[in-house]
Amino acid sequence: MLRYVITCRGGSRIEPKNVLSARLDCELDVPADSLTLTLPFDGRLREADTVEAYQGETLRFFGQADEVISVRQGERLVTRVTARSLAALLLDNEAEPLTYNNPSNKLMFDRHLAPFGITSYDEERHPLYNDLRIDKGMSHWQALEAFCLKRYGSAPRIEGRRAFLRGYGREGTVLFGENGVRCLSLNESLRRHRLISEVKVKFNSANGYSSSVKNANPLCDGVRRVRYVNAAADNVNLDAAWRMIDKGNRASYLLRLDCAGARPDLLGMPAVVEDSGLGRIEGLRVTGVKYTMNEKGELTTVSLRKEQF
């Protein structure tokens, strides 16, 4: 079971022992995690500022309360606290428009992470040897994501108070099935409608969209779904076309498992599933966990996608 700490404006801390229900949603493709707690009414909770969730001594969630709702349900008055992780602050705040020359990850930390309560990140000596343009209207998250995609080829992730800039994952491989993490139910979705068969690319105005990148995924045979990328535009290059194809491939296969207990620790882990009907499925990765706790007990719904096609 997860443990929670709520800090109120003014600094007082509450560690509720009688949580009526909880829901924690974490997805690698969604910048901000979300947490909702339902508790017996306590007037102090109306001043809730930040919410923490621990699995043992490990901080799994830290975020600012977005909403505090008091609801009467018959004879009972309850308080519902919803919060998003610190990535939400990067999404909600606009970054200053400017152009960085050879920005380092320390510069990105100082300008786009530290002001929002993030305290640690992946430090390294070498900067991005290129310009990074922050356009008017871009959020701090978009600025950070643009840097990470250019520098490391992967999107950032914020967990607790730490920023993972060079990609996110956990060591080891988790096995789901009779010989590993037991599954209460399984749901496999083959979603061909998410595949992108081809991306046409324009490198200059004279030749138009004369070049193309084609999807080599065998599952794409017979699928026609075309997109266009203007690589002649500022802040856009051929990598954008490959990312579109890769995103479609990853979204085309989804496996959901229901597991008993609290397992937010599985997020980001490579995975293998053994099922009596589907057989052994390898090359998976846990891309989402949804933990719920209520009067029926604890349940974690795990979402897995394929890493290679």
Side-chain angles (χ1 to χ4, degrees):
M1 182 173 291
L2 301 185
R3 176 172 62 89
Y4 307 98
V5 177
I6 299 172
T7 302
C8 300
R9 294 193 298 272
S12 63
R13 289 168 64 85
I14 302 171
E15 187 169 341
K17 305 297 184 184
N18 51 350
V19 178
L20 301 174
S21 68
R23 174 170 170 161
L24 174 63
D25 282 310
C26 309
E27 293 185 44
L28 295 185
D29 293 340
V30 177
D33 301 339
S34 64
L35 175 65
T36 301
L37 299 177
T38 303
L39 310 117
F41 177 78
D42 182 336
R44 296 175 299 170
L45 294 174
R46 300 173 74 184
E47 299 295 316
D49 182 32
T50 63
V51 184
E52 302 161 54
Y54 292 86
Q55 185 179 24
E57 296 302 315
T58 302
L59 179 65
R60 294 295 181 200
F61 177 91
F62 183 95
Q64 193 165 48
D66 280 337
E67 193 171 22
V68 179
I69 304 173
S70 297
V71 180
R72 179 167 294 284
Q73 299 174 337
E75 297 284 324
R76 187 172 64 173
L77 184 63
V78 300
T79 298
R80 187 172 297 122
V81 180
T82 63
R84 290 176 297 159
S85 61
L86 293 179
L89 297 178
L90 277 69
L91 291 165
D92 293 348
N93 285 274
E94 187 176 339
E96 179 184 358
L98 48 75
T99 299
Y100 293 127
N101 179 247
N102 300 336
S104 66
N105 61 3
K106 184 179 187 308
L107 173 67
M108 299 303 292
F109 172 77
D110 291 341
R111 295 294 302 272
H112 302 285
L113 291 167
F116 303 105
I118 292 137
T119 57
S120 62
Y121 67 106
D122 300 324
E123 299 183 49
E124 69 166 357
R125 296 174 56 187
H126 302 291
L128 168 66
Y129 293 107
N130 203 340
D131 290 342
L132 181 68
R133 177 172 156 180
I134 313 300
D135 293 324
K136 174 71 176 70
M138 287 179 65
S139 67
H140 285 271
W141 177 263
Q142 289 174 313
L144 182 70
E145 184 179 45
F147 170 83
C148 291
L149 289 174
K150 278 191 172 185
R151 178 67 183 90
Y152 308 113
S154 59
R157 173 164 172 80
I158 295 170
E159 184 174 273
R161 287 180 173 270
R162 180 182 174 185
F164 295 84
L165 305 181
R166 293 182 288 187
Y168 177 83
R170 291 197 169 101
E171 295 183 358
T173 299
V174 56
L175 173 65
F176 293 95
E178 290 186 2
N179 299 314
V181 178
R182 296 295 184 94
C183 305
L184 304 176
S185 67
L186 178 151
N187 185 308
E188 182 190 53
S189 299
L190 307 176
R191 308 189 293 181
R192 297 180 76 216
H193 69 283
R194 303 298 294 271
L195 293 166
I196 303 298
S197 60
E198 181 181 10
V199 178
K200 296 188 181 242
V201 184
K202 178 167 73 173
F203 289 104
N204 57 65
S205 56
N207 295 328
Y209 292 90
S210 57
S211 300
S212 71
V213 175
K214 294 187 178 180
N215 192 347
N217 183 353
L219 296 175
C220 210
D221 291 347
V223 172
R224 178 170 175 80
R225 193 163 291 106
V226 179
R227 298 291 185 268
Y228 291 82
V229 165
N230 183 5
D234 291 337
N235 267 357
V236 178
N237 56 37
L238 189 60
D239 289 343
W242 287 113
R243 286 198 298 271
M244 290 172 70
I245 288 176
D246 182 61
K247 182 178 179 181
N249 284 340
R250 287 186 285 110
S252 69
Y253 181 89
L254 178 62
L255 188 60
R256 284 199 177 98
L257 310 173
D258 284 340
C259 307
R263 299 307 306 265
D265 55 304
L266 299 178
L267 185 69
M269 290 190 69
V272 174
V273 173
E274 290 182 344
D275 180 75
S276 59
L278 296 177
R280 183 178 173 91
I281 309 173
E282 300 181 331
L284 299 171
R285 179 178 169 88
V286 178
T287 58
V289 293
K290 180 185 296 183
Y291 164 76
T292 57
M293 186 279 293
N294 53 35
E295 68 277 2
K296 296 180 181 179
E298 295 179 286
L299 182 73
T300 300
T301 299
V302 179
S303 298
L304 304 103
R305 290 179 178 166
K306 289 185 177 179
E307 286 285 270
Q308 296 180 343
F309 296 88

